[in-house]
């Protein structure tokens, strides 16, 4: 009995290890699942409504319907807000079908279709529908730039201020349109023309005189928490950041350089900071998990004011060349391909931020010191 028990324990341990090492695989598409697969979902009316919409989309673009069905939002029970977003998406698709189809052709091969869990740029566009940023969708599908799509849909550490500003601008517009006091409205218009903007002014009036506005100001903080929830699960993010372009953008926009902080990838993910080694390891993990042949390279540096070594990571191409994806913090774009010698030269540049130079202290004339002290004392007497 003891031997049998030990054997079972070892088998369970082996299964656990293999499960942890399992490669990422494409999600099952809601559109393709037959009835035998439906039981994996928590059945609700939204499930059948979503399938019907995907079937409608498939009549014009089957591949788009399949990829939409792979999004994480449609992998288990389907929330009301996700079904509503899909309905908006479908409405836009019917209106701008040519632009949508062209957009989909451009994003389809971002990541490896046969390996990735789902198409991350397609999810980003879906998020815009969910966040009611319809104008952004029509702009992006007509003139597609990946970085613009990500900037508008991904709220990351270094892009949060842009989303906060946009949110406040929209709230100010809603307040102005709902203002019941015509004299106050004219006052806002005068302020706007004098100052070439009135966002903060309108919001302050909305908080000061709430009874004069039909719309009630909504803080960005609640919206911020919803966006943060999209990025707080390590495994979910590993599945999402599934191409070199996405890895580079994510690391540049979401992490702070800390020269003495080198942690394992999952801890770096939660800290949102680290040195070149830490971010190179995180980038390499993201790429490897999503089917790429990867490398990490560390070089010594002899003439840098702030680093003695530097690391980078990326993918090895079929011809044996090296594409440098993570060159944190200085690499502003993916670079290469390089041979190994050239790669080391590029990495040896260090890419660190030297400490700021101390300010030059210029002695003040005696009369300036006296006038400053008299003014200072006069203020606080």
């Amino acid at each position: 009995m003891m031997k049998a028990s030990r054997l079972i324990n070892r088998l369970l341990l082996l299964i656990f290890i293999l499960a942890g090492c399992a490669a990422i695989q494409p999600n099952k598409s809601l559109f393709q699942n037959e009835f035998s697969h439906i039981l994996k979902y928590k059945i609700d009316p939204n499930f059948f409504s979503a399938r019907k919409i995907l079937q409608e989309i498939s009549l014009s673009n089957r591949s788009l319907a399949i990829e939409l069905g792979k999004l994480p939002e449609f992998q288990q029970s389907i929330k009301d807000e996700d079904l509503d977003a899909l309905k908006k998406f479908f409405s836009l698709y019917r209106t701008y079908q040519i632009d949508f189809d062209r957009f989909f052709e451009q994003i389809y091969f971002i990541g490896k279709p046969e390996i990735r869990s789902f198409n991350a740029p397609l999810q980003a566009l879906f998020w815009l529908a969910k966040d009611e940023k319809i104008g952004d969708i029509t702009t992006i599908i007509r003139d597609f730039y990946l970085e613009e799509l990500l900037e508008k849909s991904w709220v990351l550490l270094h892009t949060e201020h842009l989303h906060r500003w946009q949110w406040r601008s929209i709230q100010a517009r809603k307040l102005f349109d709902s203002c019941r006091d015509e004299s106050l409205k004219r006052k806002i218009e005068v302020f706007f023309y004098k100052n070439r903007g009135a966002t903060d002014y309108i919001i302050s009036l909305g908080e000061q005189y709430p009874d004069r506005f039909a719309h009630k100001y909504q803080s960005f903080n609640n919206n911020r928490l919803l966006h943060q929830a999209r990025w707080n699960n390590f495994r979910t993010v590993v599945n999402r950041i599934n191409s070199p372009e996405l890895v580079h953008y994510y690391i540049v926009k979401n992490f702070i350089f800390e020269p003495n902080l080198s942690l394992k990838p999952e801890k770096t993910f939660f800290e949102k900071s680290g040195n070149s080694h830490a971010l190179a390891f995180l980038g390499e993990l993201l790429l490897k998990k999503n089917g790429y042949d990867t490398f990490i390279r560390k070089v010594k540096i002899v003439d840098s004011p702030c680093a003695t070594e530097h690391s980078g990571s990326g993918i090895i191409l079929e011809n044996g060349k090296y594409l440098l994806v993570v060159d944190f913090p200085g690499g502003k774009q993916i670079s290469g391909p390089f041979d190994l010698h050239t790669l080391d030269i590029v990495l040896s540049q260090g890419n660190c931020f030297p400490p700021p130079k101390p300010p030059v202290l210029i002695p003040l004339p005696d009369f300036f010191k006296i006038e400053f002290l008299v003014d200072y004392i006069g203020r606080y007497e």
Side-chain angles (χ1 to χ4, degrees):
M1 287 292 292
M2 287 290 291
K3 289 183 178 180
S5 177
R6 288 177 183 175
L7 180 60
I8 290 171
N9 289 336
R10 288 178 182 177
L11 286 172
L12 289 173
L13 178 60
L14 180 60
I15 291 170
F16 177 79
I17 292 171
L18 290 175
C21 298
I24 288 175
Q25 294 179 342
N27 288 342
K28 296 283 187 182
S29 176
L30 173 62
F31 170 67
Q32 288 181 304
N33 281 338
E34 300 299 333
F35 187 77
S36 60
H37 298 116
I38 289 177
L39 293 178
K40 70 170 283 190
Y41 295 85
K42 298 173 184 176
I43 300 301
D44 55 53
N46 291 347
F47 172 87
F48 299 102
S49 299
R51 274 178 65 89
K52 186 176 180 180
I53 294 172
L54 294 179
Q55 287 166 354
E56 290 287 335
I57 293 174
S58 74
L59 297 176
S60 300
N61 192 326
R62 181 177 174 82
S63 294
L64 175 58
I66 292 172
E67 291 300 320
L68 274 170
K70 291 179 181 179
L71 297 185
E73 287 78 3
F74 306 117
Q75 291 303 297
Q76 293 184 357
S77 62
I78 298 172
K79 298 177 182 177
D80 290 342
E81 56 263 36
D82 290 320
L83 179 61
D84 290 341
L86 185 60
K87 290 176 180 176
K88 292 173 189 171
F89 191 101
F90 180 41
S91 177
L92 287 167
Y93 180 71
R94 286 186 295 187
T95 306
Y96 305 102
Q97 183 179 330
I98 294 175
D99 293 325
F100 261 97
D101 289 344
R102 188 185 303 117
F103 163 82
F104 181 68
E105 288 177 2
Q106 291 176 283
I107 67 168
Y108 182 74
F109 289 103
I110 295 176
K112 293 178 177 287
E114 71 280 7
I115 295 175
R116 67 181 183 220
S117 292
F118 60 93
N119 187 286
L122 185 60
Q123 185 192 47
L125 196 75
F126 180 79
W127 282 356
L128 290 179
K130 189 172 180 177
D131 298 339
E132 299 184 350
K133 298 180 178 180
I134 306 303
D136 288 339
I137 292 177
T138 56
T139 299
I140 287 165
I141 62 174
R142 286 173 179 167
D143 191 14
F144 172 62
Y145 291 95
L146 178 62
E147 186 165 338
E148 182 183 11
L149 169 61
L150 301 181
E151 189 174 90
K152 290 181 180 299
S153 58
W154 288 6
V155 180
L156 302 175
L157 184 64
H158 301 310
T159 63
E160 183 180 306
H161 67 287
L162 297 174
H163 292 268
R164 184 183 296 275
W165 172 81
Q166 185 182 39
W167 175 270
R168 288 176 63 82
S169 298
I170 292 171
Q171 288 293 310
R173 180 79 252 181
K174 290 180 177 179
L175 283 167
F176 178 79
D177 291 342
S178 73
C179 183
R180 302 187 183 104
D181 187 329
E182 288 300 322
S183 63
L184 188 60
K185 215 168 188 179
R186 286 193 294 273
K187 188 176 179 181
I188 292 171
E189 289 172 346
V190 171
F191 185 95
F192 177 86
Y193 288 114
K194 282 184 177 180
N195 297 276
R196 298 183 181 180
T199 296
D200 292 337
Y201 181 61
I202 295 171
I203 290 173
S204 67
L205 290 175
E207 293 174 335
Q208 189 175 359
Y209 307 108
D211 57 313
R212 301 186 190 184
F213 298 87
H215 176 72
K216 302 303 178 186
Y217 173 70
Q218 298 172 357
S219 171
F220 176 75
N221 290 335
N222 290 336
N223 184 264
R224 176 173 170 263
L225 293 174
L226 292 174
H227 283 282
Q228 286 180 338
R230 294 172 175 173
W231 297 97
N232 62 10
N233 184 285
F234 182 63
R235 183 175 179 180
T236 298
V237 173
V238 169
N239 289 346
R240 181 179 302 136
I241 311 300
N242 53 31
S243 80
E245 305 97 317
L246 300 176
V247 169
H248 180 268
Y249 181 89
Y250 172 68
I251 285 180
V252 167
K253 297 294 185 180
N254 203 48
F255 292 88
I256 296 171
F257 181 60
E258 290 288 351
N260 299 316
L261 186 63
S262 184
L263 303 172
K264 292 182 179 180
E266 189 166 356
K267 288 194 174 182
T268 300
F269 167 81
F270 286 108
E271 288 290 332
K272 290 188 173 60
S273 60
N275 60 15
S276 67
H277 311 303
L279 273 301
F281 277 111
L282 176 59
E284 193 265 348
L285 179 144
L286 293 169
L287 291 166
K288 179 172 285 187
K289 286 283 188 180
N290 286 286
Y292 292 91
D293 187 8
T294 62
F295 73 87
I296 290 181
R297 191 76 174 169
K298 180 189 288 187
V299 297
K300 296 290 183 180
I301 302 173
V302 295
D303 57 353
S304 170
C306 56
T308 58
E309 58 187 20
H310 180 66
S311 296
S313 63
I315 61 175
I316 304 172
L317 305 177
E318 291 182 0
N319 62 4
K321 297 282 187 176
Y322 298 84
L323 192 68
L324 185 56
V325 177
V326 181
D327 187 18
F328 188 80
K332 302 304 179 188
Q333 59 186 11
I334 295 173
S335 59
F338 304 113
D339 58 38
L340 196 58
H341 175 69
T342 308
L343 174 65
D344 285 351
I345 292 174
V346 171
L347 289 174
S348 67
Q349 295 173 5
N351 286 325
C352 65
F353 295 133
K357 294 180 180 179
V360 178
L361 299 177
I362 303 175
L364 294 175
D366 290 341
F367 72 88
F368 184 90
K369 293 179 184 177
I370 293 170
E371 288 182 0
F372 173 79
L373 287 172
V374 169
D375 179 62
Y376 181 82
I377 294 169
R379 287 183 187 181
Y380 296 97
E381 282 184 337

